[in-house]
Amino acid sequence: MKNPAGLIVFGLHVRRLREQRQLSQQALADMADVSKLTIQRLELAKFSVTLDILISLTRAFEIPLQELMNCPGIEAVDKLNKS
């Protein structure tokens, strides 16, 4: 894994989005047509998400891809990786 800290930040961002909408992991999984295990692994940074899953999440959250990828804190991770 090349960017583990970035995956952690992204997973936390997805969790925040899910919780803001008061969705369970299962409900989000159903809306995104993925498994609950996929949502769990994504939120825990256990795997690198694919473009296919990103698109499914944007549809489930009804947000643009840019908003999904705009993770608070990702800039700090980028700076650390460049150091």
Side-chain angles (χ1 to χ4, degrees), residues 14-31:
V14 170
R15 182 177 179 176
R16 266 187 245 108
L17 290 171
R18 177 178 62 76
E19 289 176 346
Q20 285 172 354
R21 289 161 175 76
Q22 299 180 337
L23 296 171
S24 65
Q25 288 178 335
Q26 185 64 59
L28 177 58
D30 291 344
M31 293 168 66

Side-chain angles (χ1 to χ4, degrees), residues 2-71:
K2 293 185 180 185
N3 300 291
L7 294 179
I8 291 168
V9 170
F10 182 73
L12 291 172
H13 178 59
V14 170
R15 182 177 179 176
R16 266 187 245 108
L17 290 171
R18 177 178 62 76
E19 289 176 346
Q20 285 172 354
R21 289 161 175 76
Q22 299 180 337
L23 296 171
S24 65
Q25 288 178 335
Q26 185 64 59
L28 177 58
D30 291 344
M31 293 168 66
D33 195 26
V34 298
S35 71
K36 179 181 175 185
L37 181 61
T38 296
I39 301 300
Q40 289 173 334
R41 293 177 65 216
L42 190 160
E43 289 184 1
L44 295 172
K46 298 293 184 188
F47 81 111
S48 183
V49 68
T50 64
L51 180 58
D52 187 43
I53 293 173
L54 289 173
I55 291 168
S56 294
L57 290 172
T58 62
R59 289 179 178 156
F61 286 133
E62 297 180 345
I63 59 174
L65 183 59
Q66 182 177 359
E67 186 176 335
L68 180 64
M69 298 305 297
N70 187 18
C71 306

